[in-house]
Amino acid sequence: MHKRVSAPTKPTGVHIDIDHGFLHSVETGGAVDGPGMRFVFFMAGCQFRCLYCHNPDTWKLHNGRRVDVDDMLREVRPYAGFLKFAGGVTFSGGEPMMQAGFIGNVMGHIKKEMGLHIALDTQGYLHTGVEDEWFDNVDLVMLDIKHIDPEKYHAITAQHLQPTLDFAERLKRIHKKMWMRYVLVPGLTDDAGDVNRMADYVASLGDIVERVEVLPFHQMGIAKWDAMGKEYTLRDTPTPTTDETEAARDIFRARGLYTA
Ligand code: SF4
């Protein structure tokens, strides 16, 4: 349960339906992708272009392997007995909701056959494509909100903030448990005023928020950007110190939010 396995790339077109999707890779022993030990599906495809993305190799659907529902179930089935007690399954990416029909189908089968805890790691932009019932098999949403200021959000992601905030409000309405994730990037997301506004917003979501994860920016993705020949603009951005990270966490804690 500790091996990240890259799926062989076999581009066969980009047709997605509820029976077929594109899987980038899997992690069989993820310890940072939800509660307990996780089997993580990294789905291919993301329409964001975050400046600090550490998985730019997942951006294109055709960077993944075309799979069907049985392929996905075969990946997780050997670990199901362990995962039942130790953690569960997480759908990440890329942006897993780019393939909402397909992963919704897979989630349904995992729940029915294996009864596992299911987490969804998403930036939340694409939620309008599914009905509320789609979330019935999702036990926890890990919602990545990149910034609370719309202009700065756009500067980081090349997308708009409002759909993600609408998604958070939707989670509140359907009372779905969530972890909020915030990447702390010096010079981009660490302004104390911005973090305070974010903390106020997250606190306003109420008791659906089980925890806030403040994740210090790191340079782990740089080799992938270089390998893809893409310009990486954060080359000189430092990792926040422990004290800086804790100071940001304290801002959330001051609102009574459990923060890790
Ligand atoms: S949303 Fe995630 S996968 Fe997509 S570009 Fe941003 S960091 Fe990368």
Side-chain angles (χ1 to χ4, degrees):
M1 289 288 294
H2 291 288
K3 197 171 159 205
R4 181 160 179 173
V5 185
S6 288
T9 302
K10 289 182 189 167
T12 52
V14 289
H15 178 66
I16 314 170
D17 54 35
I18 66 165
D19 296 317
H20 301 91
F22 287 85
L23 174 64
H24 179 272
S25 55
V26 301
E27 163 87 49
T28 59
V32 294
D33 296 288
M37 294 294 285
R38 315 297 299 182
F39 185 99
V40 187
F41 287 111
F42 293 95
M43 304 307 297
C46 183
Q47 87 282 34
F48 278 34
R49 293 292 178 263
C50 301
L51 297 177
Y52 54 71
C53 182
H54 57 266
N55 289 320
D57 53 329
T58 66
W59 285 349
K60 303 284 187 191
L61 277 172
H62 63 254
N63 289 146
R65 164 172 64 112
R66 192 164 190 259
V67 289
D68 62 21
V69 175
D70 285 340
D71 293 330
M72 298 284 278
L73 298 178
R74 260 197 307 277
E75 294 272 4
V76 69
R77 198 175 278 125
Y79 309 102
F82 172 75
L83 294 169
K84 178 101 178 158
F85 300 100
V89 175
T90 299
F91 288 81
S92 184
E95 171 46 55
M97 292 197 77
M98 272 191 88
Q99 307 185 55
F102 176 60
I103 66 167
N105 193 6
V106 174
M107 286 176 185
H109 280 86
I110 288 175
K111 269 291 178 206
K112 193 169 168 196
E113 180 189 327
M114 306 171 208
L116 299 178
H117 180 279
I118 293 177
L120 174 70
D121 178 13
T122 177
Q123 25 85 336
Y125 191 96
L126 296 169
H127 71 103
T128 55
V130 297
E131 303 293 329
D132 287 350
E133 293 70 32
W134 187 91
F135 294 96
D136 287 351
N137 289 319
V138 178
D139 297 290
L140 174 71
V141 173
M142 301 164 74
L143 179 59
D144 197 348
I145 310 180
K146 319 281 186 183
H147 209 290
I148 196 62
D149 178 272
E151 286 183 17
K152 294 177 184 173
Y153 187 95
H154 193 271
I156 292 170
T157 67
Q159 294 287 347
H160 297 293
L161 168 63
Q162 194 57 46
T164 296
L165 299 186
D166 292 344
F167 181 52
E169 298 300 330
R170 181 180 191 180
L171 295 177
K172 184 178 180 181
R173 176 174 59 74
I174 65 175
H175 212 77
K176 185 63 63 179
K177 284 192 286 186
M178 67 170 271
W179 290 8
M180 183 270 185
R181 295 182 130 182
Y182 188 67
V183 181
L184 192 69
V185 189
L188 278 186
T189 68
D190 65 341
D191 176 82
D194 290 334
V195 179
N196 271 283
R197 281 175 63 200
M198 177 67 87
D200 284 341
Y201 176 73
V202 176
S204 79
L205 296 172
D207 63 3
I208 63 164
V209 183
E210 284 195 334
R211 75 159 65 188
V212 175
E213 293 191 323
V214 176
L215 308 169
F217 164 77
H218 58 70
Q219 293 279 5
M220 280 166 60
I222 194 168
K224 291 181 181 176
W225 285 73
D226 287 346
M228 293 169 67
K230 293 194 176 296
E231 187 191 356
Y232 184 71
T233 57
L234 303 184
R235 207 167 287 275
D236 299 323
T237 301
T239 295
T241 65
T242 303
D243 283 351
E244 289 165 344
T245 305
E246 281 305 309
R249 288 174 177 150
D250 283 344
I251 291 173
F252 289 95
R253 289 183 185 120
R255 273 77 174 174
L257 295 159
Y258 175 74
T259 304

